[in-house]
Short mmCIF file of all heavy atoms in Angstrom, two decimals:
data_model
loop_
_atom_site.label_atom_id
_atom_site.label_comp_id
_atom_site.label_asym_id
_atom_site.label_seq_id
_atom_site.Cartn_x
_atom_site.Cartn_y
_atom_site.Cartn_z
N MET T 1 104.60 103.74 80.77
CA MET T 1 105.85 104.34 80.30
C MET T 1 106.58 105.12 81.39
O MET T 1 107.73 105.51 81.19
CB MET T 1 105.58 105.25 79.09
CG MET T 1 105.17 104.50 77.85
SD MET T 1 106.30 103.17 77.37
CE MET T 1 107.82 104.06 77.15
N ARG T 2 105.95 105.34 82.51
CA ARG T 2 106.62 106.07 83.59
C ARG T 2 107.69 105.18 84.23
O ARG T 2 107.43 104.01 84.49
CB ARG T 2 105.64 106.46 84.68
CG ARG T 2 104.76 107.61 84.34
CD ARG T 2 104.02 108.08 85.61
NE ARG T 2 103.19 109.22 85.28
CZ ARG T 2 101.86 109.21 85.28
NH1 ARG T 2 101.22 108.12 85.62
NH2 ARG T 2 101.20 110.28 84.97
N PRO T 3 108.86 105.76 84.53
CA PRO T 3 109.83 104.98 85.33
C PRO T 3 109.17 104.59 86.65
O PRO T 3 108.32 105.32 87.18
CB PRO T 3 110.97 105.97 85.53
CG PRO T 3 110.87 106.91 84.37
CD PRO T 3 109.39 107.05 84.11
N THR T 4 109.55 103.47 87.19
CA THR T 4 108.90 102.90 88.36
C THR T 4 108.80 103.88 89.53
O THR T 4 107.73 104.02 90.13
CB THR T 4 109.64 101.63 88.82
OG1 THR T 4 109.73 100.75 87.71
CG2 THR T 4 108.91 100.93 89.94
N CYS T 5 109.90 104.56 89.85
CA CYS T 5 109.87 105.45 91.02
C CYS T 5 108.91 106.63 90.80
O CYS T 5 108.24 107.07 91.74
CB CYS T 5 111.26 105.93 91.37
SG CYS T 5 112.08 106.82 90.04
N ILE T 6 108.80 107.12 89.57
CA ILE T 6 107.87 108.21 89.28
C ILE T 6 106.44 107.70 89.34
O ILE T 6 105.55 108.36 89.88
CB ILE T 6 108.19 108.85 87.92
CG1 ILE T 6 109.55 109.55 87.99
CG2 ILE T 6 107.10 109.82 87.49
CD1 ILE T 6 110.05 110.10 86.67
N PHE T 7 106.21 106.50 88.83
CA PHE T 7 104.88 105.90 88.91
C PHE T 7 104.46 105.74 90.37
O PHE T 7 103.34 106.07 90.76
CB PHE T 7 104.83 104.55 88.19
CG PHE T 7 103.48 103.89 88.28
CD1 PHE T 7 102.49 104.22 87.37
CD2 PHE T 7 103.20 102.99 89.28
CE1 PHE T 7 101.23 103.63 87.45
CE2 PHE T 7 101.96 102.40 89.38
CZ PHE T 7 100.97 102.72 88.46
N ASP T 8 105.37 105.22 91.20
CA ASP T 8 105.07 105.03 92.62
C ASP T 8 104.76 106.35 93.32
O ASP T 8 103.80 106.44 94.09
CB ASP T 8 106.22 104.32 93.32
CG ASP T 8 106.31 102.84 92.97
OD1 ASP T 8 105.35 102.29 92.39
OD2 ASP T 8 107.34 102.23 93.29
N ALA T 9 105.57 107.37 93.06
CA ALA T 9 105.34 108.68 93.68
C ALA T 9 103.98 109.23 93.25
O ALA T 9 103.22 109.75 94.08
CB ALA T 9 106.46 109.65 93.31
N HIS T 10 103.65 109.09 91.99
CA HIS T 10 102.37 109.55 91.47
C HIS T 10 101.21 108.78 92.14
O HIS T 10 100.22 109.38 92.56
CB HIS T 10 102.35 109.36 89.95
CG HIS T 10 101.08 109.76 89.30
ND1 HIS T 10 100.76 111.07 89.02
CD2 HIS T 10 100.03 109.02 88.86
CE1 HIS T 10 99.58 111.12 88.45
NE2 HIS T 10 99.12 109.89 88.33
N ALA T 11 101.35 107.47 92.24
CA ALA T 11 100.31 106.65 92.85
C ALA T 11 100.12 107.02 94.33
O ALA T 11 98.98 107.09 94.82
CB ALA T 11 100.64 105.17 92.71
N LEU T 12 101.22 107.27 95.03
CA LEU T 12 101.13 107.66 96.44
C LEU T 12 100.44 109.02 96.58
O LEU T 12 99.61 109.20 97.48
CB LEU T 12 102.51 107.69 97.08
CG LEU T 12 103.15 106.32 97.31
CD1 LEU T 12 104.62 106.47 97.68
CD2 LEU T 12 102.40 105.53 98.37
N LYS T 13 100.76 109.94 95.71
CA LYS T 13 100.12 111.26 95.77
C LYS T 13 98.61 111.13 95.62
O LYS T 13 97.85 111.73 96.37
CB LYS T 13 100.67 112.18 94.68
CG LYS T 13 99.94 113.53 94.63
CD LYS T 13 100.75 114.59 94.04
CE LYS T 13 100.04 115.92 93.95
NZ LYS T 13 99.79 116.56 95.21
N HIS T 14 98.19 110.31 94.65
CA HIS T 14 96.75 110.15 94.44
C HIS T 14 96.09 109.30 95.53
O HIS T 14 94.89 109.45 95.77
CB HIS T 14 96.49 109.60 93.04
CG HIS T 14 96.73 110.64 91.99
ND1 HIS T 14 95.81 111.61 91.67
CD2 HIS T 14 97.83 110.91 91.25
CE1 HIS T 14 96.31 112.41 90.77
NE2 HIS T 14 97.54 112.01 90.49
N ALA T 15 96.86 108.47 96.20
CA ALA T 15 96.30 107.66 97.29
C ALA T 15 95.98 108.51 98.52
O ALA T 15 95.13 108.13 99.32
CB ALA T 15 97.28 106.54 97.67
N ILE T 16 96.66 109.64 98.67
CA ILE T 16 96.42 110.50 99.84
C ILE T 16 95.74 111.80 99.47
O ILE T 16 95.48 112.64 100.33
CB ILE T 16 97.74 110.79 100.61
CG1 ILE T 16 98.78 111.42 99.71
CG2 ILE T 16 98.26 109.53 101.26
CD1 ILE T 16 100.08 111.78 100.40
N LYS T 17 95.40 111.96 98.20
CA LYS T 17 94.78 113.19 97.72
C LYS T 17 93.28 113.17 98.00
O LYS T 17 92.63 112.15 97.83
CB LYS T 17 95.04 113.32 96.22
CG LYS T 17 94.51 114.57 95.57
CD LYS T 17 94.85 114.56 94.09
CE LYS T 17 94.27 115.77 93.40
NZ LYS T 17 94.54 115.72 91.96
N GLY T 18 92.75 114.31 98.39
CA GLY T 18 91.31 114.44 98.56
C GLY T 18 90.79 113.77 99.82
O GLY T 18 91.54 113.43 100.73
N ALA T 19 89.49 113.56 99.84
CA ALA T 19 88.84 112.96 101.00
C ALA T 19 89.18 111.48 101.08
O ALA T 19 89.06 110.75 100.10
CB ALA T 19 87.33 113.15 100.91
N GLY T 20 89.63 111.05 102.25
CA GLY T 20 89.96 109.64 102.45
C GLY T 20 91.30 109.28 101.84
O GLY T 20 91.89 110.05 101.09
N THR T 21 91.78 108.12 102.18
CA THR T 21 93.04 107.63 101.62
C THR T 21 92.82 106.25 101.04
O THR T 21 91.91 105.53 101.47
CB THR T 21 94.14 107.53 102.69
OG1 THR T 21 93.70 106.65 103.72
CG2 THR T 21 94.48 108.87 103.29
N ASN T 22 93.65 105.89 100.10
CA ASN T 22 93.60 104.55 99.53
C ASN T 22 94.68 103.74 100.24
O ASN T 22 95.84 103.72 99.83
CB ASN T 22 93.82 104.59 98.03
CG ASN T 22 93.62 103.25 97.37
OD1 ASN T 22 93.78 102.21 98.00
ND2 ASN T 22 93.29 103.28 96.09
N GLU T 23 94.28 103.09 101.33
CA GLU T 23 95.24 102.35 102.15
C GLU T 23 95.89 101.19 101.40
O GLU T 23 97.04 100.86 101.66
CB GLU T 23 94.56 101.85 103.44
CG GLU T 23 94.37 102.96 104.45
CD GLU T 23 92.91 103.11 104.88
OE1 GLU T 23 92.08 102.31 104.44
OE2 GLU T 23 92.64 104.06 105.62
N LYS T 24 95.18 100.59 100.48
CA LYS T 24 95.74 99.48 99.71
C LYS T 24 96.95 99.94 98.89
O LYS T 24 97.95 99.24 98.83
CB LYS T 24 94.69 98.86 98.79
CG LYS T 24 93.65 98.05 99.53
CD LYS T 24 92.66 97.44 98.56
CE LYS T 24 91.61 96.64 99.32
NZ LYS T 24 90.64 96.02 98.41
N VAL T 25 96.84 101.09 98.27
CA VAL T 25 97.94 101.62 97.47
C VAL T 25 99.13 101.96 98.37
O VAL T 25 100.28 101.60 98.07
CB VAL T 25 97.51 102.86 96.65
CG1 VAL T 25 98.70 103.54 96.00
CG2 VAL T 25 96.49 102.46 95.59
N LEU T 26 98.86 102.63 99.48
CA LEU T 26 99.93 102.98 100.42
C LEU T 26 100.67 101.73 100.88
O LEU T 26 101.90 101.67 100.89
CB LEU T 26 99.37 103.74 101.62
CG LEU T 26 98.75 105.11 101.34
CD1 LEU T 26 98.10 105.66 102.60
CD2 LEU T 26 99.77 106.07 100.79
N THR T 27 99.90 100.72 101.28
CA THR T 27 100.49 99.48 101.78
C THR T 27 101.26 98.74 100.69
O THR T 27 102.38 98.31 100.90
CB THR T 27 99.40 98.57 102.37
OG1 THR T 27 98.68 99.30 103.37
CG2 THR T 27 100.00 97.33 102.99
N GLU T 28 100.64 98.61 99.54
CA GLU T 28 101.27 97.86 98.44
C GLU T 28 102.62 98.45 98.07
O GLU T 28 103.62 97.73 97.95
CB GLU T 28 100.36 97.88 97.20
CG GLU T 28 101.00 97.35 95.94
CD GLU T 28 101.29 95.86 95.98
OE1 GLU T 28 100.62 95.13 96.71
OE2 GLU T 28 102.21 95.43 95.26
N ILE T 29 102.69 99.75 97.92
CA ILE T 29 103.94 100.37 97.49
C ILE T 29 104.97 100.36 98.61
O ILE T 29 106.10 99.90 98.43
CB ILE T 29 103.69 101.80 96.96
CG1 ILE T 29 102.90 101.72 95.65
CG2 ILE T 29 105.01 102.54 96.76
CD1 ILE T 29 102.44 103.06 95.12
N LEU T 30 104.61 100.86 99.77
CA LEU T 30 105.61 101.02 100.83
C LEU T 30 106.08 99.70 101.44
O LEU T 30 107.22 99.59 101.87
CB LEU T 30 105.08 101.97 101.91
CG LEU T 30 104.83 103.39 101.41
CD1 LEU T 30 104.23 104.24 102.52
CD2 LEU T 30 106.10 104.02 100.86
N ALA T 31 105.22 98.69 101.44
CA ALA T 31 105.61 97.41 102.04
C ALA T 31 106.33 96.50 101.05
O ALA T 31 107.03 95.59 101.47
CB ALA T 31 104.38 96.70 102.60
N SER T 32 106.19 96.75 99.77
CA SER T 32 106.79 95.83 98.80
C SER T 32 108.07 96.34 98.15
O SER T 32 108.72 95.62 97.41
CB SER T 32 105.77 95.50 97.70
OG SER T 32 105.50 96.64 96.92
#
């Protein structure tokens, strides 16, 4: 139910949060 841009921002925040990063999420969102 989240608008796309809010979903993406949320996913990016969680991809860089805490120890390590989720490179797949970063790449998927920013490259597509």
Side-chain angles (χ1 to χ4, degrees):
M1 291 307 301
R2 284 192 179 112
T4 306
C5 59
I6 294 174
F7 179 85
D8 286 347
H10 179 79
L12 289 169
K13 175 156 179 69
H14 287 279
I16 57 178
K17 182 179 177 183
T21 59
N22 186 334
E23 284 124 4
K24 288 181 181 181
V25 171
L26 295 173
T27 305
E28 170 68 26
I29 292 173
L30 296 177
S32 67

